[in-house]
Amino acid sequence: MPRVSISPIRVGELSFLILDCPSDATLPAYLPVLEEHHVTDLVRICEGNPYDPKPLNDIGIRVHDDMKFTDGTAPGKDVVARWLNLNDEVFFNSPDKGRCIAVHCVSGIGRAPVLVAISLIEGGMDSLDAIAYIRKARRGALNRIQIAFLDSYKKRKHGFGTKKTSTVVNGSSYPSSSSTLPAASGPGNEKKKTGFISKMFGKK
């Protein structure tokens, strides 16, 4: 059986699996793990269609191919909006609890962790805490560009919830939901962000 690389990320109502990219040959090894974690949706960020989604559809997992962005970069406003709308739908607008979103790029250390980090920030976690939390679960995750994006990321005015309103993502409005998830970081977690990226990667 092929080895699978899967990193669970769970904070409050949010539950994600970060994967490396399956192929048609390795996908069968992922299916029981995805079912075990109650995955209902899988987001493919990598280019092209590396495997047939039918085996996933056959076990009730929806495959999303509309959130792709270039390797090594941060997502644009439209991708962020679609990702947060999916989070709202899966975690807060469904009567079924314990659902999970799986997400992968190629190796699962860049684009997929960025999207999950955005969700943690929207849920109340400090951006630097979110970066550290994901890096603990997924070694080597996130490059300089992606960390800079997350460090300066501005949450939408309305957090996760059930009431429809407008989502504000870096100044642009999209349909979404309101209400907020309880904060993941406690009191006293304010950090000095000056020089954070230089400290992690070295000055350039």
Side-chain angles (χ1 to χ4, degrees):
M1 183 70 70
R3 177 180 174 274
V4 299
S5 176
I6 294 180
S7 303
I9 304 288
R10 296 188 183 89
V11 176
E13 297 291 328
L14 305 176
S15 178
F16 304 97
L17 287 185
I18 300 175
L19 326 174
D20 55 356
C21 182
S23 64
D24 284 319
T26 62
L27 183 59
Y30 286 81
L31 299 180
V33 181
L34 298 177
E35 287 188 296
E36 177 186 345
H37 286 85
H38 308 292
V39 171
T40 59
D41 295 79
L42 184 146
V43 176
R44 302 197 292 192
I45 313 173
C46 56
E47 295 79 6
N49 300 301
Y51 53 87
D52 184 354
K54 187 177 184 303
L56 293 162
N57 299 151
D58 288 345
I59 61 172
I61 296 176
R62 301 184 299 174
V63 177
H64 302 265
D65 284 318
D66 60 345
M67 300 178 220
K68 298 180 186 293
F69 55 100
T70 304
D71 188 19
T73 69
K77 298 173 184 176
D78 56 340
V79 171
V80 173
R82 283 193 288 269
W83 171 252
L84 293 179
N85 287 340
L86 178 63
N87 280 229
D88 283 327
E89 177 187 347
V90 170
F91 301 125
F92 300 99
N93 296 342
S94 169
D96 301 321
K97 300 300 180 183
R99 304 173 88 193
C100 180
I101 297 174
V103 56
H104 72 77
C105 39
V106 176
S107 57
I109 62 171
R111 290 170 286 181
V114 167
L115 292 185
V116 175
I118 289 170
S119 297
L120 300 186
I121 295 167
E122 289 285 347
M125 189 177 282
D126 177 85
S127 61
L128 306 188
D129 287 336
I131 292 165
Y133 191 89
I134 287 175
R135 283 191 147 193
K136 185 176 180 180
R138 195 80 178 175
R139 186 175 180 180
L142 305 168
N143 64 21
R144 176 188 291 268
I145 292 170
Q146 292 157 346
I147 287 176
F149 169 83
L150 293 169
D151 190 31
S152 62
Y153 178 79
K154 303 300 182 186
K155 290 170 58 176
R156 54 185 180 174
K157 288 183 178 179
H158 301 284
F160 294 124
T162 56
K163 292 183 179 180
K164 288 291 180 181
T165 180
S166 63
T167 298
V168 177
V169 180
N170 293 340
S172 296
S173 296
Y174 300 87
S176 188
S177 314
S178 65
S179 180
T180 56
L181 189 69
S185 54
N189 282 334
E190 295 81 3
K191 296 178 175 56
K192 293 181 180 180
K193 297 189 178 184
T194 304
F196 173 73
I197 297 171
S198 295
K199 184 176 180 181
M200 295 191 75
F201 293 97
K203 293 183 179 179
K204 285 193 175 183

